[in-house]
Amino acid sequence: MRLAVFDTHRYDRDALEKANAHFGHVLTFFEPRLTLQTAKLADGFPAVCSFVNDKVDAATLAALHAGGVRLVAARSAGYNHVDLEAAEKLGIRVTRVPEYSPHAVAEHAVALVLSLVRHIPRAFQRVRDWNFSLDGLVGFDLAGKTVGVVGTGRIGRVAARIFRGFGCDVLCYDVAPDAGFEREAGVRFAPLETLFSAADIISLHVPLTPGTRHMVDAAALARMKRGVVLVNTGRGALIDSRALLDALKSGHIGGAGLDVYEEEEGIFFQDLSGQVLQDDVLARLLTFPNVLVTSHQAFLTHEALANIAESTLASVRAFERGEPLVNEVRAEQVLRAPPAAN
């Protein structure tokens, strides 16, 4: 089957071509993101492959449909970049990759925490400047601290287990608390307000839905402990970035590790080193010594890329053969369901 793959980088292409050796699809790679302006590139293709920062809205879908596209295969767990209602009206099917490597994302979240609490970026830079002073690098042990894990889907559960391995007391929040996981992992489920007020470290692992957008706003930040470390490897808009900026300026938030950012579209995954960063909020966040930003790379492991490619191409093959799409996302499922964890 002919598949137009958008927003591709070398690592995407390598993984997809390797996986495609036993699928036999005809892959055409495009570097631009999939938007209304680039949708014309997919004319004549029955399927397109999108990524998280593409803009597959109603207008883009209409242009794709006019060009013959009948399947949007998102090579991501998130699908908030696709207008599912518009896709359904046009008869375009949408699939995603619900699980690729929960370990990749959970381990990156923990890496952000350790880097922040032990001041690794600052220490690294000092030593490169031949400054071997330890002043200002005092951190704290994770053992004995309370960690709040928001969302206990596949990724959240792995993160909770890792933090338990450090000797942390782990509080979890989920719309569907699981007593079996609570007993097995040695964690405790608690209301979100309780988690916010009790945790020394908070890690976000929920998808972006209307119900979770800006779940960490000014009021939520005010409820958190002074000095809390906040980590987000879920979706950028879970956090109100301007409210976070204010909380950092006041000293209420002790550190923030962000692998995602609510206005990352057009910034993350790009080399902007020769340009002036136009996003004032992100530019300000990057000036704080207690803020660590990575460019949406939590998923970026060999294992995860292989799983993403395999699952995406399997969905394309199932569509081609008229088989059930086990990873299909439908508008009615998303609109009727509570904001389940990722």
Side-chain angles (χ1 to χ4, degrees):
M1 189 169 180
R2 297 182 67 229
L3 178 66
V5 186
F6 283 84
D7 197 10
T8 54
H9 302 267
R10 185 175 63 246
Y11 49 83
D12 295 305
R13 184 168 186 153
D14 290 347
L16 284 163
E17 287 181 334
K18 185 175 182 180
N20 195 47
H22 65 271
F23 284 101
H25 299 304
V26 179
L27 308 182
T28 300
F29 297 95
F30 297 108
E31 290 186 11
R33 294 185 299 118
L34 177 54
T35 65
L36 176 60
Q37 289 69 39
T38 61
K40 192 72 176 173
L41 293 170
D43 280 2
F45 288 86
V48 298
C49 180
S50 71
F51 198 47
V52 291
N53 282 335
D54 292 340
K55 190 174 183 180
V56 195
D57 56 11
T60 303
L61 287 163
L64 291 172
H65 183 268
V69 171
R70 297 296 179 266
L71 173 70
V72 173
R75 61 182 190 277
S76 59
Y79 45 82
N80 54 283
H81 64 291
V82 182
D83 187 329
L84 295 176
E85 292 183 284
E88 186 171 313
K89 290 176 182 177
L90 291 167
I92 296 177
R93 313 279 293 275
V94 180
T95 63
R96 67 174 182 134
V97 182
E99 180 179 7
Y100 37 87
S101 175
H103 296 278
V105 180
E107 289 171 9
H108 192 80
V110 178
L112 289 174
V113 171
L114 287 169
S115 296
L116 285 166
V117 304
R118 299 308 301 268
H119 308 291
I120 301 299
R122 191 188 303 182
F124 173 75
Q125 189 57 53
R126 279 191 187 184
V127 169
R128 288 178 65 87
D129 293 336
W130 294 11
N131 178 356
F132 300 97
S133 167
L134 298 182
D135 291 338
L137 299 182
V138 179
F140 60 80
D141 295 352
L142 291 188
K145 298 300 185 294
T146 298
V147 175
V149 174
V150 181
T152 54
R154 298 176 182 90
I155 297 170
R157 292 184 182 218
V158 173
R161 290 189 176 99
I162 295 174
F163 283 119
R164 284 291 295 147
F166 277 99
C168 300
D169 178 23
V170 177
L171 290 179
C172 296
Y173 167 77
D174 197 277
V175 293
D178 185 340
F181 175 67
E182 190 173 48
R183 290 191 300 270
E184 179 265 323
V187 302
R188 292 182 291 127
F189 280 90
L192 190 59
E193 293 76 13
T194 301
L195 184 153
F196 281 162
S197 62
D200 302 296
I201 298 163
I202 296 174
S203 191
L204 305 179
H205 300 284
V206 294
L208 179 61
T209 69
T212 61
R213 183 177 182 82
H214 284 184
M215 67 186 305
V216 178
D217 56 11
L221 290 163
R223 285 196 296 271
M224 295 177 187
K225 280 185 175 181
R226 186 172 184 82
V228 66
V229 173
L230 177 63
V231 170
N232 186 11
T233 54
R235 286 293 178 267
L238 298 176
I239 298 176
D240 182 336
S241 300
R242 293 184 181 276
L244 175 61
L245 183 59
D246 291 339
L248 286 161
K249 288 167 64 177
S250 71
H252 185 74
I253 299 298
L258 309 175
D259 186 56
V260 288
Y261 172 66
E262 63 178 323
E263 301 295 337
E264 68 180 59
E265 181 182 324
I267 300 175
F268 283 14
F269 309 114
Q270 310 299 319
D271 181 0
L272 305 180
S273 57
Q275 303 178 33
V276 175
L277 185 60
Q278 298 298 314
D279 190 307
D280 292 341
V281 174
L282 179 57
R284 185 72 179 93
L285 287 170
L286 291 171
T287 66
F288 285 86
N290 56 341
V291 172
L292 179 56
V293 176
T294 53
S295 185
H296 207 138
Q297 72 177 73
F299 77 99
L300 199 62
T301 66
H302 291 296
E303 294 83 356
L305 288 170
N307 291 337
I308 289 169
E310 183 77 20
S311 180
T312 301
L313 297 180
S315 290
V316 174
R317 181 174 63 184
F319 177 81
E320 179 185 27
R321 295 178 175 179
E323 297 171 352
L325 299 182
V326 295
N327 294 326
E328 185 172 14
V329 187
R330 295 178 180 272
E332 61 267 23
Q333 296 171 339
V334 176
L335 294 175
R336 292 175 185 172
N342 69 344

